[in-house]
Amino acid sequence: MNQFQFVATIAEREVLRYTPAGIPIVSARLLHVSQQTEAKIDRRVEFEIAAVAAGEISGRFHNADLGGTYRFSGFLSRKSRNSKSLVFHVSDFEAVNQHSDIDTGA
């Protein structure tokens, strides 16, 4: 199963565009920062990931606040068939309360 959920800030976002098949799509960079526990040791986790929202979700994603914090759900896939780079495909997202959700890494 390939499901990925995390809280992140929309760090960068491109303009809404359309694929050759006419599907609306928006590319972005998401920034995650949290505190996680591994082997009973707390560690700060930070990463930036390329993301894409296609189809119906793209309009809502395009209108979301740049710099806003959201809980994202989706899946990971290669950027292209021959690429080793991963891209997060957004299937849903919702605004979160920054102070309660980010500190716990929820």
Side-chain angles (χ1 to χ4, degrees), residues 18-54:
Y18 291 85
T19 67
I23 298 169
I25 192 166
V26 177
S27 297
R29 304 252 354 131
L30 304 178
L31 176 63
H32 170 85
V33 178
S34 67
Q35 192 76 22
Q36 301 295 319
T37 302
E38 180 179 43
K40 299 181 182 179
I41 298 170
D42 288 338
R43 66 182 281 192
R44 182 175 172 90
V45 175
E46 294 183 41
F47 64 84
E48 190 172 300
I49 190 166
V52 64

Side-chain angles (χ1 to χ4, degrees), residues 18 26 38 50-52 57 68 70 77 79 97:
Y18 291 85
V26 177
E38 180 179 43
V52 64
I57 194 84
Y70 300 89
S77 181
K79 187 172 183 175
N97 177 337

Side-chain angles (χ1 to χ4, degrees), residues 1 5 14 21-22 25 29 32-33 38 46 48 53 55 58 60 63 71 73 79 81-83 86-88 94 104:
M1 184 174 290
Q5 185 179 72
E14 296 179 8
I25 192 166
R29 304 252 354 131
H32 170 85
V33 178
E38 180 179 43
E46 294 183 41
E48 190 172 300
S58 65
R60 193 162 61 96
N63 291 323
R71 179 181 313 278
S73 299
K79 187 172 183 175
R81 186 168 33 137
N82 297 323
S83 175
L86 293 176
V87 175
F88 175 67
E94 63 184 6
T104 62

